[in-house]
Amino acid sequence: MKIIISIALTTILLLLNSTAQQADYSQLKAEAEQLYAAGSYARANEVYARIGKTGLTPEEGRWVEFRLADTSWRAQAATETADTTKFEQAQKQLEELVRTNPDLGSYRYLAIGDQVAVAKRDGSLRKVRVTQLYAFEGLKRESIERAEFGEIVALAGIEDIEIGDTITAADNPQALPAIAVDEPTISMIFSVNNSPFAGKDGRFVTSRQVKERLDRETLGNVAIRVEETAAPEQFKVSGRGELQLSILIEMMRREGYELQVSKPEAITRQSNGVTLEPIELVVIDCPEEFIGVVTEAVGRRKGQMTKMVNHGTGRVRLEFEIPSRGLIGFRNEFLTETKGTGLLNTLFLRWGDWQGALRGRATGSLVADRTGETTTYALFNLQERGTLFVRPGTKVYEGMIIGENARAVDLDVNAIKEKKLTNMRAASADEAMRLVPPKELSLEQAIEFIGEDELVEVTPKNIRLRKRVLRFNERPKRKET
């Protein structure tokens, strides 16, 4: 099969839009021989393309007709002789290879009813039959009876198959090397929603339903790990980063699930009595005027710069080594600091020594001390205490976080207090109360904001912050530092 693939990749065609003819290829930072690869210039609103070299002008090539519907090519007006010798030679080699190797005959096609073998990661082999076969035509999936080699198809009739398993010929099974997947670096606790407003928005609210959904996710997402905890309603979910877990939470929320999640934590290891944590390679591409703010932001999160390249085009590439826990909430801060012009990519690098404690949030929380609907009068008096997360008329419950306190202590407040009515006219009775617009947190911002004793309540309609212990008299006090 490797020989077939290498022959199939002998001829490569690069198709460029006509607007890219005058592009500055020097910005690609490619080698000279790469810029002169065989390619074509095409017009998106026509069916014609001009064959030539990407480093030449379009007039030096020849026109051919290119149809996206059936991917057929026909010479329209040849101004030069097409060199098809290599392509015909590769085709003859492929035909000769299949003819002289009878074992390759079973790989040439796949049809409904054929028996195939599934090779598992543990080396076991299981034979099954293909019940349905689908091919992709544009954006549609159509049922077919037979598929030739080289086609991208979908199979039905195979149960309990996982990513990394190999579907091979039953008479001559040959398993491909298993795909190596990076180990998880961040973990969170997913639990059943037990707040006073539980069950009002979602359709799936029990621990059994949440566990089944997480198990289904592990079948198609090999980077996700799900472990049971001592509490039957809580599950430890590990992934490759905060972003991956946030996407999973958002998917479950849109599907109608209600759950609570804790603050992300880095996964650690012990080696010879030394605590190790995952270290990530962060590659940043941003305008050169943001070098200072980006370096400062990464430095606060225990990051160290290892490389900086200035291409002279106004943008620079920075490389850092940073602990995985230092990247929690960094993506939003990075986009804000670079005004949306920066590019960020992360890659697991190694397990390194523990980098020490990171500076956490220096502010406290404003916590509602009773259940009800917030009022303008109450919020007007509370907005001087810090930043509010709720609007007037929002339903709150005891232990729900409604804002960020300016001081480093938690403050329990009455957010549903109404103005006392009186028959005495006051000089300020007709003055309108103006509220500062609240800060509406996204899911990623909410996960970044919460502390160790706080949770994010996620429902299909709302994202709320709350304390682990709701009652004020049972909650441990947070001291100002």
Side-chain angles (χ1 to χ4, degrees):
M1 295 300 292
K2 294 181 179 179
I3 300 177
I4 295 177
I5 294 175
S6 62
I7 295 178
L9 294 179
T10 302
T11 303
I12 299 176
L13 181 66
L14 175 64
L15 185 65
L16 300 176
N17 191 19
S18 59
T19 58
Q21 295 176 10
Q22 305 300 328
D24 185 7
Y25 294 101
S26 62
Q27 296 184 4
L28 298 177
K29 303 304 176 183
E31 301 295 335
E33 57 270 14
Q34 293 177 283
L35 297 180
Y36 287 89
S40 303
Y41 294 109
R43 294 187 177 94
N45 58 348
E46 299 180 8
V47 294
Y48 296 102
R50 187 179 289 277
I51 297 296
K53 297 288 187 178
T54 56
L56 304 178
T57 61
E59 289 70 16
E60 298 180 19
R62 61 183 179 86
W63 285 107
V64 296
E65 184 177 358
F66 175 58
R67 298 184 180 276
L68 292 176
D70 54 3
T71 63
S72 63
W73 293 78
R74 181 172 61 84
Q76 179 70 13
T79 58
E80 62 179 4
T81 303
D83 184 10
T84 59
T85 305
K86 292 184 178 180
F87 179 78
E88 293 176 354
Q89 182 181 2
Q91 185 178 9
K92 291 180 180 180
Q93 290 179 1
L94 179 59
E95 294 175 354
E96 180 67 18
L97 179 65
V98 174
R99 186 183 64 81
T100 57
N101 292 270
D103 292 340
L104 296 179
S106 58
Y107 297 111
R108 297 188 63 180
Y109 66 89
L110 180 66
I112 296 178
D114 287 354
Q115 189 180 50
V116 297
V118 178
K120 308 291 289 185
R121 285 175 174 268
D122 56 3
S124 60
L125 201 66
R126 179 167 55 93
K127 294 184 178 181
V128 296
R129 288 195 178 275
V130 179
T131 59
Q132 291 291 335
L133 198 60
Y134 300 95
F136 296 92
E137 194 71 29
L139 298 178
K140 297 180 181 180
R141 189 176 68 175
E142 299 180 354
S143 177
I144 59 176
E145 297 293 331
R146 176 189 175 106
E148 300 291 339
F149 66 92
E151 293 188 59
I152 300 177
V153 297
L155 308 179
I158 305 177
E159 298 180 356
D160 300 331
I161 188 170
E162 300 176 354
I163 294 179
D165 297 345
T166 302
I167 301 177
T168 180
D171 54 350
N172 185 21
Q174 298 179 7
L176 296 175
I179 300 175
V181 181
D182 291 340
E183 293 294 326
T185 57
I186 298 294
S187 65
M188 299 175 65
I189 299 297
F190 286 42
S191 60
V192 176
N193 186 14
N194 58 4
S195 73
F197 294 165
K200 294 186 177 181
D201 297 339
R203 294 184 293 118
F204 308 105
V205 297
T206 64
S207 60
R208 176 184 60 83
Q209 293 170 331
V210 174
K211 180 64 165 58
E212 290 177 353
R213 176 61 181 85
L214 294 176
D215 290 340
R216 289 200 308 270
E217 184 68 21
T218 58
L219 296 178
N221 195 340
V222 295
I224 294 291
R225 303 283 191 274
V226 179
E227 305 174 19
E228 296 185 357
T229 62
E233 71 280 0
Q234 296 182 354
F235 310 97
K236 182 179 180 181
V237 182
S238 304
R240 268 290 295 121
E242 172 203 10
L243 180 61
Q244 184 183 34
L245 296 179
S246 299
I247 293 175
L248 173 59
I249 297 171
E250 181 65 24
M251 291 173 54
M252 296 180 63
R253 184 178 78 89
R254 297 186 180 187
E255 294 171 5
Y257 287 85
E258 286 192 12
L259 66 155
Q260 296 176 157
V261 296
S262 66
K263 184 178 181 63
E265 297 180 353
I267 299 176
T268 59
R269 290 181 178 180
Q270 295 291 331
S271 177
N272 299 326
V274 179
T275 302
L276 304 179
E277 66 173 339
I279 305 297
E280 304 263 353
L281 172 63
V282 179
V283 181
I284 293 176
D285 187 281
C286 66
E288 56 187 8
E289 60 264 26
F290 299 119
I291 295 178
V293 293
V294 170
T295 305
E296 181 183 359
V298 177
R300 291 195 303 265
R301 298 171 179 265
K302 302 291 185 180
Q304 297 180 358
M305 181 185 295
T306 59
K307 186 178 182 181
M308 181 175 67
V309 179
N310 192 332
H311 299 296
T313 59
R315 298 183 67 90
V316 295
R317 174 167 296 182
L318 309 175
E319 294 186 6
F320 297 89
E321 293 183 6
I322 183 174
S324 295
R325 55 195 172 97
L327 293 174
I328 298 176
F330 176 69
R331 192 175 299 271
N332 290 327
E333 180 184 356
F334 171 75
L335 293 176
T336 301
E337 294 291 349
T338 60
K339 297 179 173 59
T341 60
L343 301 177
L344 173 67
N345 189 30
T346 61
L347 181 67
F348 175 77
L349 188 61
R350 66 177 187 276
W351 290 88
D353 294 339
W354 181 261
Q355 300 295 313
L358 294 177
R359 181 181 179 182
R361 194 178 86 221
T363 57
S365 302
L366 298 177
V367 187
D369 62 355
R370 64 200 71 190
T371 303
E373 290 188 4
T374 58
T375 62
T376 303
Y377 178 76
L379 297 181
F380 179 78
N381 296 319
L382 292 177
Q383 64 183 1
E384 298 179 355
R385 299 281 187 175
T387 305
L388 297 178
F389 299 155
V390 295
R391 300 176 180 274
T394 303
K395 295 182 178 180
V396 298
Y397 54 83
E398 182 181 3
M400 176 177 168
I401 300 175
I402 64 170
E404 180 181 8
N405 190 11
R407 302 177 63 184
V409 293
D410 295 335
L411 184 64
D412 290 85
V413 297
N414 182 4
I416 65 173
K417 183 179 180 181
E418 297 181 353
K419 186 177 182 180
K420 300 294 184 181
L421 300 179
T422 177
N423 57 359
M424 300 296 294
R425 178 178 293 273
S428 60
D430 297 332
E431 291 183 3
M433 294 183 179
R434 297 183 179 181
L435 295 178
V436 178
K439 181 180 180 181
E440 297 182 357
L441 300 180
S442 63
L443 179 60
E444 292 80 6
Q445 291 173 332
I447 293 176
E448 176 192 4
F449 177 82
I450 59 175
E452 300 293 338
D453 60 338
E454 298 168 346
L455 300 172
V456 178
E457 177 187 353
V458 182
T459 70
K461 297 181 180 180
N462 298 283
I463 297 178
R464 305 185 184 96
L465 308 181
R466 52 158 289 182
K467 288 290 185 178
R468 287 182 181 269
V469 181
L470 297 179
R471 293 187 176 275
F472 168 71
N473 55 356
E474 299 177 359
R475 192 185 317 138
K477 302 296 186 295
R478 179 181 176 182
K479 297 182 180 180
E480 184 174 4
T481 56

